[in-house]
Amino acid sequence: MNFITFTENTLRTFTYNVFKKMGCSDEDAALATDVLIRSDLRGIDSHGVARLSGYVRLWEKKRINANPNIKIVHETPTTATVDGDAGLGLVVAPFAMKIAIEKAEKYGSGWVSVKNSNHFGIAGYHALMAVEQDMIGISMTNASPLVAPTYSSERLLGTNPMCYAFPAGKYPPVIIDMATAAAANGKLEIAQRANKSIPDGWVQDKNGVSSTDPNELKSGGSLLPLGSDKDHGSHKGYGLGATVDILSAVLSGANYGPWVPPFVAFLEPSANPVGEGLGHFLGAMRVDGFRPKEDFKSHLDNWIERFKSAETIDPNKKVIIPGEPEHEFELERKVSGIPIIDVVVKDLNELAEKLGIEGLV
């Protein structure tokens, strides 16, 4: 497995040009680019520029609208439902989070459920928008059905990530950003490219038998919920994934469960959908709606310091604060560049040739 390192600006220019070729406005192309590059900067390589070809293929199948009319279709002072008009989730979700933040500024909290959208990148990007306003941010989305509920061999849920982000004082924000499956599908894709096996407990074959083959999903297998099996708490991961699905889609009018449209363009959406597109759920809460924000930040700093000083089983390992590894990746990659696996570089250069834009190398 070989990597080629690119500067942030090189990848931004390339990604922006791809979105422009899809017909996105300057503003939307820049925003979609920012979401993807932030993912690569934060070390979440599965959701960065590696996803570009997938978005283009969905656009070619007319499943992504490059110029959506994103609008509020239902509203109260503290809540709203947004119709994404089949736009890029990379653009629709920030639109919805801005509404949540505006409502939080006026009323203390804001909650927005979204329908008729597409894959929205990393959940952390959207939750961090609230943190930048000294608010607590919440972001989640449902996704293509790849996960089997506890005791089932049938794919009924997506990896359904959720993120909670909290502003600290002198430390980076605490960011809990995770899939509700035992592993995100992107990790399987990375293992496939590297031709490596995956840990036991991530997937099962079509008969419900645990497997370490990263290609198992292609043979009718499924991802397992967080916890892997009932004895290790998979009912909890199943419950979290169900929560995301209900808030993101049953609440908004998006497709849920097995009706969620697949991210891959070669699979067709359900012929009998129960809603419109993918769904998201975003929220913002003003910290000073509960206590003075400087008090909260000071105590969150204290929380961080206490957890960082925890006695560990292995003296060479320290307790990691949620969001800390991604923050360190971002600091490093802004200076040293972003490594992209050669298989992805080849894919992106082929994409550039097809679209008639300058390639990466």
Side-chain angles (χ1 to χ4, degrees):
M1 183 167 58
N2 298 310
F3 289 88
I4 302 171
T5 300
F6 298 93
T7 65
E8 177 186 347
N9 284 341
T10 296
L11 289 178
R12 279 188 182 275
T13 300
F14 178 83
T15 305
Y16 175 84
N17 288 338
V18 170
F19 285 125
K20 284 294 293 178
K21 276 290 183 177
M22 286 172 59
C24 294
S25 67
D26 292 348
E27 183 180 1
D28 285 357
L31 176 55
T33 295
D34 194 49
V35 179
L36 291 192
I37 299 304
R38 192 78 184 275
S39 178
D40 282 315
L41 284 171
R42 293 178 65 79
I44 310 171
D45 301 332
S46 59
H47 284 58
V49 295
R51 290 269 174 180
L52 263 177
S53 293
Y55 293 121
V56 171
R57 285 191 289 268
L58 288 174
W59 167 69
E60 289 173 334
K61 292 291 288 283
K62 302 191 185 307
R63 284 174 52 192
I64 284 180
N65 178 4
N67 285 285
N69 177 25
I70 309 168
K71 59 183 181 295
I72 295 172
V73 293
H74 186 81
E75 188 174 22
T76 74
T78 59
T79 67
T81 301
V82 164
D83 184 330
D85 195 24
L88 284 161
L90 308 169
V91 172
V92 176
F95 177 97
M97 182 52 99
K98 285 180 181 177
I99 295 169
I101 291 169
E102 288 169 2
K103 289 180 176 295
E105 286 173 345
K106 289 183 181 179
Y107 302 107
S109 69
W111 307 93
V112 181
S113 200
V114 179
K115 67 175 180 176
N116 203 6
S117 187
N118 282 284
H119 190 276
F120 79 174
I122 55 170
Y125 183 94
H126 315 298
L128 278 168
M129 289 174 62
V131 168
E132 289 164 3
Q133 305 301 320
D134 279 335
M135 297 181 187
I136 295 167
I138 298 171
S139 170
M140 57 189 73
T141 183
N142 68 355
S144 311
L146 297 173
V147 181
T150 302
Y151 297 138
S152 178
S153 60
E154 190 177 359
R155 302 176 182 179
L156 293 179
L157 287 171
T159 53
N160 292 9
M162 56 169 56
C163 179
Y164 294 79
F166 305 90
K170 60 184 178 181
Y171 295 106
V174 175
I175 306 170
I176 298 95
D177 186 356
M178 64 179 197
T180 55
N185 186 41
K187 290 190 175 181
L188 267 65
E189 293 170 348
I190 290 170
Q192 289 165 14
R193 295 186 193 112
N195 198 26
K196 290 184 176 180
S197 60
I198 55 174
D200 191 40
W202 282 14
V203 302
Q204 63 183 11
D205 67 17
K206 62 183 179 183
N207 299 312
V209 178
S210 185
S211 172
T212 59
D213 181 358
N215 297 292
E216 201 65 69
L217 299 186
K218 299 174 182 176
S219 305
S222 54
L223 287 166
L224 292 166
L226 188 63
S228 300
D229 58 36
K230 182 65 166 63
D231 290 340
H232 294 91
S234 69
H235 58 291
K236 299 175 184 178
Y238 166 37
L240 289 171
T243 299
V244 173
D245 204 30
I246 294 166
L247 286 174
S248 299
V250 179
L251 191 61
S252 69
N255 288 291
Y256 47 81
W259 292 279
V260 176
F263 179 75
V264 290
F266 61 83
L267 293 177
E268 292 297 323
S270 171
N272 300 294
V274 293
E276 297 176 84
L278 263 69
H280 318 313
F281 186 75
L282 303 115
M285 295 186 290
R286 267 174 45 186
V287 170
D288 63 4
F290 300 90
R291 69 185 301 188
K293 65 183 180 183
E294 295 310 321
D295 287 355
F296 173 83
K297 288 181 168 185
S298 173
H299 278 279
L300 188 53
D301 284 347
N302 187 50
W303 186 95
I304 291 168
E305 289 170 356
R306 180 62 186 90
F307 276 71
K308 287 294 289 180
S309 66
E311 190 172 325
T312 54
I313 301 164
D314 181 346
N316 294 316
K317 293 183 179 178
K318 299 294 183 184
V319 170
I320 297 169
I321 303 302
E324 187 177 34
E326 292 86 351
H327 177 72
E328 291 174 354
F329 265 119
E330 190 162 9
L331 292 177
E332 178 193 343
R333 289 186 171 186
K334 275 191 168 290
V335 175
S336 60
I338 299 170
I340 306 293
I341 192 171
D342 54 4
V343 177
V344 172
V345 174
K346 180 175 181 291
D347 174 64
L348 293 175
N349 281 328
E350 289 173 354
L351 177 65
E353 185 176 356
K354 181 173 74 171
L355 294 176
I357 62 174
E358 188 176 346
L360 285 172
V361 289

